[in-house]
Amino acid sequence: MPELELARAERAGEWLIVPLSDSVPESLAAGSHPHHVRQWLLALAVFPDKWVNRLFSVGGLKLDGGRLWLEAFPKAGLARHEWAAGDAESGGVTADVLFEDDWCLVMNKPAGMAVHPSRPGQRGTLDEAAVRHCLATGQDAPVRHIHRLDDDTSGPVLYAKNDLAQWRLDGAMREKAINRQYLALVNGVPQRPGGTIDAPIGRDRHHGSRRRVSLSGETAITHYETRVAGDDAALVRVTLDTGRTHQIRVHFSHIGHPLLGDTLYGAPAESSLRHQALHGERLIFPHPWTGKDTVVGCPLPGWFAGLSQRHGIVTK
């Protein structure tokens, strides 16, 4: 049986054309029933079964001229986009693009912007900015975020641009194969230059929007490394084994070094900052088509660099 030459695949509109490594047997000749093509693909186990079955259900599988045609890039449709296009005259919400190809998109979320709506009719989200970007560049892609950041945390957010990318990236999230690195400015200088904070996190029953370290909470593990020590604060690099709500903020407050500006977790107010000093520095994920690690960096926002300098921390 022929194998798929995935590295030579090419996009043609809504279709992905994948050459075959050998001649096609009569059972899979051009014009053969798509059911036979589906059975062959399921046996190869190259793609998720549910994706192959979805393509079959919409007529998105065919063989022609020794090539496999997959309808991998279906259009999102006007209905999905009309809410974002409604006030196009005003320009609407936007965000910078850090990385993009046919499969995925990484947006630079500024602090103060929600990733997705939390109430009906909410506007100004990063999801809206992603849709607007696609509209502005002539793409009718069903973009969907793969992970989230707190509203007041800046940094890269990963989006899938089709079903296959979404299923594979969702799987990578479950398997903890997507690595998110953060930079934080913390109050004071940690005594240990680096280490691991392993402390379960649960809800604070006395404060609806807070979380707290609690023996009955969910497992939460944070790794940190002090990069620069300043006069009364420090720049730390943080990676997570888990993704609990407010995890970095709770853990650093727990060890006595709340993030600068994070008054919810015990830090003094900063006159120039209305949110915690936390920024997503780098995103590393397996590409949904090639499987190769894709590294996307995110530049420091101006407020982060300015706050660092005011506390005697020099960042490059």
Side-chain angles (χ1 to χ4, degrees), residues 102-115:
D102 286 336
W103 300 92
C104 45
L105 170 70
V106 180
M107 303 288 286
N108 183 1
K109 188 187 86 65
M113 176 185 285
V115 171

Side-chain angles (χ1 to χ4, degrees), residues 154-156 181-183 237 279-283 296-299:
S154 58
Q181 299 177 1
Y182 299 84
L183 289 176
R237 176 169 287 141
H279 173 69
E281 176 193 28
R282 185 176 292 111
L283 178 68
V296 180
C298 189

Side-chain angles (χ1 to χ4, degrees), residues 262-290:
D262 196 359
T263 55
L264 182 63
Y265 288 102
E270 291 279 344
S271 60
S272 63
L273 193 66
R274 296 184 179 181
H275 52 79
Q276 73 274 4
L278 182 61
H279 173 69
E281 176 193 28
R282 185 176 292 111
L283 178 68
I284 305 171
F285 60 93
H287 191 275
W289 179 252
T290 67

Side-chain angles (χ1 to χ4, degrees), residues 152-169:
D152 288 333
T153 300
S154 58
V157 175
L158 175 61
Y159 284 82
K161 293 174 68 175
N162 56 42
D163 287 346
L164 179 58
Q166 182 183 359
W167 280 323
R168 283 185 163 167
L169 292 172

